Amino acid sequence: MGLLIQPKAVPRGAVHIIDPPANLGPNIRITPQARYYALAELTRRAGIPVDFFRKWKVTVSRDKTIFEISNGTSKFITFPHANAKHLKDLAAGKFSYVTVPLAATLNGAEDSSISCCVVPFVVPMGAEVRPLFHLVDQNHLECAVDLPLSILLTLSRWEELHDVPRDLHGRFQSNSSIASSGGFLNRPIIDEYGLAFEQAMELLYPSWKKTERKLRIKVSHDADNIGIPFRWRTAVRHSVRSRTPFNSVRDMSSLLSTSVEPAELRSVRDIVTASLKHGLSSTVYWKAGPPGPMDSGYDPRHKRVRAVVDWLHEIGGECGVQPGYNTYRSPEKLRREIVILRDVLGEHPFGGRQHYLRWCPDTWIDWENCGLAYDSSVGFAEQTGFRAGTCVPYRPWLFPLNRQADLLEIPLIVMDRTLLEYMKLTKDQAIGDVKKLTARCRSVGGVFTILWHNDAFLDPFTATSIWVCWKVYRAPITTIGSLKPYPLSG
């Protein structure tokens, strides 16, 4: 299965620990286990077989981590550690990044060639510029920077634990991230390290065979509004704002006949069917929150909702959860909504996404405690790109528990409102942005995850026309091959 193998657990090899772990603050320990996790994520992205990686002996000391690979002749890979001063600066919120050249340019399609890697949270390099990986001798490979630390902090979203200004919804903003300030939010930097490490393995093992990388797509729809319960305001809006009087008639007819679905609920079937015509299965995330300023308050146990859920299962679609606005940092409210949704969706594993993308690293723990299989909230509302530096699904590191999570993170790359409302792109600009991000995902063999709300074609959220929304949505689904539901289908 290559890069898209589900990371059930960190593949454990022999780990020899010499010195105690460093700290970046309360509950933030850079333990040998954390470093090993980061290196496991690196090797997974490099296509190194798990069984082979398990045989590597790992020695973690105060100033470096060394891999010893015994495969006929012993070979060594060394990763230097950040010094105490740099760790102190990181703990104080003083972040930096470096741009490190590769030994040779990695050619990719559609302007996605890579000649250097951007590495955040590491010490700037001195006068001597060396490739990210370089041979000390024929049996010894060395990394130029503390790459495991960068991988660990980026994937865990450690920077989001710092006290920085939040938006009106309490969300960490893209302009507060090192990726945005450094201009590399549009690059899956962690996945690019995997390509660089694969290139380095060819230096150690000239007969090393590269991993075939295939792009995948996960099409998802947040069912924020479904026209239940009936509201006159919504029915009138279809005619006045969206200029679709037929949808007003549909909503009113749904009051008189149980065979007629409200326009917003019907739009779930319509947008899923549009994807099916291009060989793509969809995931729909349902809500169960009470009514409020940010929640429509529909009951997912309504027989009309159950009918659509059953239809989705019949056609091979996927259903998941979208916990309400007020479940953010409220484990008990989250648990209550998941209990309701599990009654509708069944006891099989499922995941979802936080409403309004109200998410923080502690959300992973809350979701894990609810028994959810995966999250797909890690994407910025106001900016497209790679919030966690990756488009390869992974099990995040939980610093308070010093282990990786029991749930998967499937990073969100593009949302409809991001393109057309927050970024205010034109149709051509939005399609261009989507194509560039798709090419980045393709170059590393990742999953291009897109969120398009079910009602985007009914009630444009800006002056953008319904036609523009449709054209931008069709851009990726007409150019990318089909994907079996990920990650729950082997």
Side-chain angles (χ1 to χ4, degrees):
M1 295 178 63
L3 292 179
L4 296 186
I5 187 171
Q6 295 183 43
K8 299 293 186 184
V10 174
R12 284 305 169 94
V15 182
H16 180 48
I17 303 170
I18 296 178
D19 291 304
N23 294 327
L24 283 180
N27 293 324
I28 308 296
R29 296 178 298 155
I30 311 302
T31 62
Q33 294 91 340
R35 286 188 172 276
Y36 189 87
Y37 158 84
L39 289 166
E41 287 296 322
L42 174 65
T43 57
R44 186 166 69 93
R45 286 165 171 76
I48 294 173
V50 173
D51 291 341
F52 182 37
F53 181 60
R54 284 200 182 107
K55 298 176 182 178
W56 297 11
K57 177 183 177 182
V58 185
T59 301
V60 182
S61 66
R62 184 179 298 276
D63 61 345
K64 59 188 172 184
T65 296
I66 301 176
F67 277 139
E68 180 181 348
I69 309 171
S70 296
N71 190 29
T73 301
S74 290
K75 295 181 181 290
F76 301 87
I77 306 174
T78 301
F79 295 87
H81 290 182
N83 59 36
K85 180 182 182 304
H86 180 60
L87 293 176
K88 185 177 180 180
D89 287 343
L90 286 175
K94 298 177 182 178
F95 305 156
S96 59
Y97 66 91
V98 296
T99 301
V100 191
L102 301 182
T105 298
L106 296 168
N107 295 318
E110 301 178 47
D111 299 324
S112 58
S113 296
I114 305 168
S115 60
C116 62
C117 282
V118 182
V119 188
F121 309 119
V122 299
V123 179
M125 299 172 64
E128 181 185 0
V129 178
R130 296 179 298 177
L132 183 60
F133 292 101
H134 61 278
L135 279 177
V136 177
D137 58 51
Q138 63 179 0
N139 294 319
H140 187 183
L141 189 69
E142 189 171 85
C143 186
V145 295
D146 192 347
L147 197 61
L149 179 66
S150 179
I151 294 171
L152 177 67
L153 298 185
T154 301
L155 291 180
S156 68
R157 304 310 305 136
W158 166 78
E159 66 176 320
E160 301 191 25
L161 298 174
H162 284 253
D163 186 16
V164 297
R166 311 280 161 158
D167 71 3
L168 293 175
H169 304 290
R171 300 178 298 198
F172 181 85
Q173 300 173 84
S174 62
N175 59 15
S176 295
S177 70
I178 191 171
S180 178
S181 61
F184 53 89
L185 183 59
N186 64 340
R187 292 178 61 176
I189 57 171
I190 305 299
D191 309 330
E192 292 175 0
Y193 303 158
L195 298 180
F197 192 55
E198 181 181 57
Q199 181 190 73
M201 288 298 290
E202 291 183 277
L203 298 176
L204 274 185
Y205 298 98
S207 61
W208 188 266
K209 293 183 179 180
K210 290 186 176 181
T211 300
E212 182 183 4
R213 288 173 166 78
K214 293 182 179 180
L215 172 67
R216 297 292 186 267
I217 182 172
K218 184 169 183 65
V219 179
S220 59
H221 311 293
D222 289 3
D224 292 359
N225 302 288
I226 61 169
I228 299 173
F230 174 83
R231 291 184 175 91
W232 279 105
R233 182 178 61 183
T234 301
V236 172
R237 186 182 62 203
H238 291 316
S239 294
V240 176
R241 178 173 172 176
S242 304
R243 299 180 182 178
T244 53
F246 174 79
N247 288 328
S248 298
V249 174
R250 173 178 278 278
D251 279 7
M252 289 183 282
S253 299
S254 69
L255 281 174
L256 305 175
S257 173
T258 58
S259 64
V260 179
E261 293 175 342
E264 290 172 329
L265 182 59
R266 178 66 194 185
S267 69
V268 174
R269 294 184 189 264
D270 292 341
I271 198 169
V272 169
T273 300
S275 298
L276 276 175
K277 289 179 179 178
H278 297 283
L280 297 173
S281 60
S282 292
T283 300
V284 178
Y285 297 132
W286 301 95
K287 294 171 59 62
M294 301 298 178
D295 291 299
S296 58
Y298 65 81
D299 188 345
R301 294 167 293 192
H302 194 286
K303 60 182 180 181
R304 288 178 174 174
V305 178
R306 289 183 182 273
V308 176
V309 169
D310 290 343
W311 172 75
L312 283 165
H313 288 156
E314 289 172 5
I315 66 173
E318 180 190 343
C319 287
V321 301
Q322 188 194 170
Y325 188 89
N326 293 315
T327 62
Y328 177 57
R329 294 187 178 275
S330 181
E332 181 55 31
K333 290 180 180 178
L334 174 67
R335 186 195 65 80
R336 288 199 296 266
E337 291 191 16
I338 298 305
V339 168
I340 293 173
L341 287 161
R342 189 165 272 125
D343 175 59
V344 177
L345 305 183
E347 293 298 325
H348 60 277
F350 53 77
R353 175 180 297 124
Q354 282 287 136
H355 185 44
Y356 261 79
L357 300 183
R358 299 187 81 209
W359 177 94
C360 68
D362 289 340
T363 305
W364 282 323
I365 298 177
D366 296 340
W367 278 49
E368 183 185 275
N369 289 337
C370 287
L372 294 169
Y374 73 87
D375 168 71
S376 190
S377 305
V378 181
F380 289 119
E382 71 277 16
Q383 185 68 50
T384 59
F386 306 94
R387 180 173 179 174
T390 183
C391 55
V392 173
Y394 68 101
R395 295 189 182 276
W397 186 257
L398 306 177
F399 276 114
L401 305 179
N402 193 40
R403 63 168 173 82
Q404 71 172 13
D406 287 335
L407 85 166
L408 203 65
E409 177 59 44
I410 307 177
L412 175 64
I413 312 302
V414 169
M415 178 174 71
D416 50 7
R417 286 178 168 86
T418 306
L419 294 165
L420 303 173
E421 181 176 4
Y422 288 97
M423 297 173 67
K424 301 186 184 304
L425 301 181
T426 66
K427 174 179 70 70
D428 291 341
Q429 289 172 333
I431 291 175
D433 189 67
V434 168
K435 287 184 175 180
K436 288 178 181 178
L437 293 169
T438 303
R440 294 286 188 185
C441 292
R442 178 180 285 111
S443 68
V444 298
V447 177
F448 180 79
T449 303
I450 183 172
L451 159 58
W452 220 263
H453 291 78
N454 63 297
D455 58 355
F457 307 137
L458 299 179
D459 180 30
F461 27 82
T462 66
T464 303
S465 70
I466 294 175
W467 178 80
V468 170
C469 289
W470 172 242
K471 284 291 185 180
V472 176
Y473 177 66
R474 288 188 74 247
I477 69 171
T478 57
T479 57
I480 301 176
S482 61
L483 170 68
K484 293 181 180 179
Y486 186 89
L488 302 181
S489 63

